Amino acid sequence: MSYPILFEFLFWSLIIHLLILIWWAVFMVLGGDWVYKLHSRWFPMEKDEFTKIHYKGMSFYKILIFVFILVPLLVLWKMGEF
C-alpha cells in the first residue's frame, strides 16, 4: 500500500471516528435520561454508574483513536512521503 493511500485512509478514518465520538457525547448530554431509561430496562443499574460507564467508554475510545489513527497519521504527515 502506498503512503498517499494510507494517509488518505487514516485521515478519513480519523474524521469518521471523531464524528462518532462527538455524536456519542452529544447524545449523552442531550438525551442522557432517555438513554438511561432505555438501557436500565435491560441492565438494572444506578444513574451514576451508567454515566461513569459511558464516560470511561468515551475516554477509552478517544485513546484508541489517538494511538491507532492520529499518531500514525501524524508520522506519515511528518515523513512527507505523499
Side-chain angles (χ1 to χ4, degrees):
M1 181 179 287
S2 64
Y3 288 122
I5 293 172
L6 184 58
F7 183 83
E8 187 174 346
F9 173 77
L10 288 173
F11 175 76
W12 285 109
S13 181
L14 177 68
I15 298 297
I16 290 168
H17 285 285
L18 287 178
L19 287 174
I20 291 170
L21 184 64
I22 291 168
W23 176 77
W24 188 1
V26 168
F27 204 77
M28 286 304 297
V29 168
L30 298 179
D33 291 332
W34 178 77
V35 175
Y36 170 70
K37 287 177 187 174
L38 179 69
H39 287 169
S40 64
R41 289 185 210 163
W42 302 314
F43 309 106
M45 66 181 86
E46 296 294 322
K47 175 83 169 156
D48 291 338
E49 184 181 0
F50 178 78
T51 305
K52 287 178 188 177
I53 289 170
H54 277 277
Y55 184 73
K56 288 178 183 179
M58 285 187 278
S59 300
F60 183 66
Y61 190 59
K62 183 172 42 172
I63 290 169
L64 290 177
I65 292 169
F66 286 176
V67 170
F68 292 109
I69 299 173
L70 184 62
V71 170
L73 184 66
L74 291 174
V75 168
L76 284 174
W77 178 68
K78 185 70 174 168
M79 285 174 41
E81 293 288 332
F82 47 91

